[in-house]
Protein backbone atom coordinates (compact mmCIF):
# COMPACT_ATOMS: atom_id res chain seq x y z
CA UNK A 1 0.00 0.00 0.00
CA UNK A 2 2.81 2.46 0.83
CA UNK A 3 4.46 1.90 -2.57
CA UNK A 4 1.11 2.34 -4.35
CA UNK A 5 0.54 5.59 -2.48
CA UNK A 6 3.99 6.85 -3.51
CA UNK A 7 3.26 6.00 -7.15
CA UNK A 8 -0.13 7.68 -6.96
CA UNK A 9 1.42 10.82 -5.46
CA UNK A 10 4.12 10.90 -8.15
CA UNK A 11 1.48 10.37 -10.86
CA UNK A 12 -0.56 13.24 -9.39
CA UNK A 13 2.49 15.52 -9.43
CA UNK A 14 3.23 14.59 -13.06
CA UNK A 15 -0.42 15.17 -13.98
CA UNK A 16 -0.32 18.67 -12.49
CA UNK A 17 2.87 19.56 -14.34
CA UNK A 18 1.62 18.20 -17.67
CA UNK A 19 -1.82 19.77 -17.28
CA UNK A 20 -0.19 23.16 -16.68
CA UNK A 21 2.03 22.58 -19.69
CA UNK A 22 -0.72 21.52 -22.09
CA UNK A 23 -2.89 24.36 -20.86
CA UNK A 24 -0.29 27.01 -21.58
CA UNK A 25 1.18 25.87 -24.92
CA UNK A 26 -0.53 25.34 -28.27
CA UNK A 27 -0.53 21.51 -28.55
CA UNK A 28 0.77 21.58 -32.13
CA UNK A 29 4.02 23.07 -30.77
CA UNK A 30 4.24 20.86 -27.68
CA UNK A 31 6.78 18.04 -27.60
CA UNK A 32 7.05 15.97 -24.42
CA UNK A 33 9.72 13.61 -25.80
CA UNK A 34 12.03 13.51 -28.82
CA UNK A 35 9.97 10.62 -30.19
CA UNK A 36 6.42 12.00 -29.78
CA UNK A 37 5.64 11.55 -33.48
CA UNK A 38 6.90 7.96 -33.43
CA UNK A 39 4.87 7.18 -30.30
CA UNK A 40 1.71 8.66 -31.78
CA UNK A 41 2.23 6.85 -35.09
CA UNK A 42 2.68 3.51 -33.32
CA UNK A 43 -0.27 4.31 -31.06
CA UNK A 44 -2.58 4.89 -34.01
CA UNK A 45 -1.37 1.71 -35.77
CA UNK A 46 -2.10 -0.33 -32.66
CA UNK A 47 -5.26 1.44 -31.48
CA UNK A 48 -6.84 2.63 -34.76
CA UNK A 49 -10.37 3.07 -33.42
CA UNK A 50 -9.68 4.15 -29.84
CA UNK A 51 -11.50 7.38 -29.04
CA UNK A 52 -9.13 9.64 -27.13
CA UNK A 53 -11.35 12.61 -26.37
CA UNK A 54 -13.59 10.58 -24.03
CA UNK A 55 -11.95 7.39 -22.77
CA UNK A 56 -13.79 4.20 -21.91
CA UNK A 57 -12.06 2.58 -18.90
CA UNK A 58 -12.89 -0.85 -20.32
CA UNK A 59 -10.74 -0.09 -23.38
CA UNK A 60 -7.81 0.57 -21.06
CA UNK A 61 -8.10 -2.01 -18.30
CA UNK A 62 -9.93 -5.07 -19.64
CA UNK A 63 -7.90 -8.23 -20.24
CA UNK A 64 -8.09 -7.88 -24.06
CA UNK A 65 -6.97 -4.24 -23.74
CA UNK A 66 -4.04 -5.20 -21.49
CA UNK A 67 -2.95 -7.75 -24.11
CA UNK A 68 -2.54 -4.85 -26.57
CA UNK A 69 -1.22 -2.18 -24.20
CA UNK A 70 1.65 -4.20 -22.73
CA UNK A 71 3.42 -4.93 -26.05
CA UNK A 72 2.79 -1.35 -27.16
CA UNK A 73 4.53 0.03 -24.06
CA UNK A 74 7.41 -2.43 -24.34
CA UNK A 75 8.27 -1.04 -27.81
CA UNK A 76 9.57 2.06 -26.06
CA UNK A 77 11.79 0.35 -23.51
CA UNK A 78 15.21 1.99 -23.80
CA UNK A 79 13.73 4.75 -25.99
CA UNK A 80 11.60 6.65 -23.47
CA UNK A 81 12.69 7.14 -19.88
CA UNK A 82 10.06 5.81 -17.48
CA UNK A 83 8.28 4.11 -20.42
CA UNK A 84 6.57 1.77 -17.99
CA UNK A 85 5.22 4.29 -15.48
CA UNK A 86 1.53 4.59 -14.87
CA UNK A 87 -0.16 7.91 -15.34
CA UNK A 88 -3.33 9.71 -14.36
CA UNK A 89 -5.62 10.17 -17.34
CA UNK A 90 -8.63 12.40 -17.67
CA UNK A 91 -11.52 10.31 -18.99
CA UNK A 92 -13.02 13.36 -20.72
CA UNK A 93 -10.35 15.69 -22.09
CA UNK A 94 -12.67 18.70 -21.82
CA UNK A 95 -12.89 18.37 -18.03
CA UNK A 96 -10.35 18.90 -15.25
CA UNK A 97 -8.65 16.27 -13.13
CA UNK A 98 -11.28 15.24 -10.61
CA UNK A 99 -11.93 11.98 -8.80
CA UNK A 100 -14.79 11.18 -11.18
CA UNK A 101 -12.89 12.13 -14.34
CA UNK A 102 -9.55 10.47 -13.57
CA UNK A 103 -8.26 6.94 -14.05
CA UNK A 104 -4.82 5.50 -13.31
CA UNK A 105 -3.45 3.78 -16.37
Amino acid sequence: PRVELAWAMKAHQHAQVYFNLISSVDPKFLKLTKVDDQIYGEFRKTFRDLKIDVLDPEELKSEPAKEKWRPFCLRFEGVVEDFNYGTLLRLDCRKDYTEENTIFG
Side-chain angles (χ1 to χ4, degrees), residues 1-31:
R2 188 174 281 252
V3 172
E4 288 178 19
L5 179 60
W7 284 349
M9 290 178 65
K10 188 168 185 172
H12 178 72
Q13 290 169 343
H14 280 257
Q16 286 180 317
V17 168
Y18 286 114
F19 187 74
N20 290 339
L21 189 60
I22 64 174
S23 298
S24 63
V25 176
D26 186 333
K28 66 182 172 189
F29 299 115
L30 182 63
K31 297 290 183 193

Side-chain angles (χ1 to χ4, degrees), residues 18-82:
Y18 286 114
F19 187 74
N20 290 339
L21 189 60
I22 64 174
S23 298
S24 63
V25 176
D26 186 333
K28 66 182 172 189
F29 299 115
L30 182 63
K31 297 290 183 193
L32 299 175
T33 74
K34 294 177 183 176
V35 291
D36 284 0
D37 294 333
Q38 177 189 353
I39 293 169
Y40 186 71
E42 292 294 323
F43 170 78
R44 276 298 165 209
K45 284 182 198 171
T46 304
F47 303 98
R48 291 186 198 287
D49 300 322
L50 182 66
K51 282 183 56 181
I52 58 174
D53 57 341
V54 179
L55 296 172
D56 176 358
E58 191 67 17
E59 292 180 341
L60 302 174
K61 297 208 170 212
S62 69
E63 284 307 314
K66 288 179 185 179
E67 290 174 16
K68 289 179 86 173
W69 278 106
R70 188 75 187 142
F72 172 78
C73 291
L74 288 174
R75 289 183 211 161
F76 300 100
E77 185 174 12
V79 176
V80 175
E81 185 179 344
D82 301 333

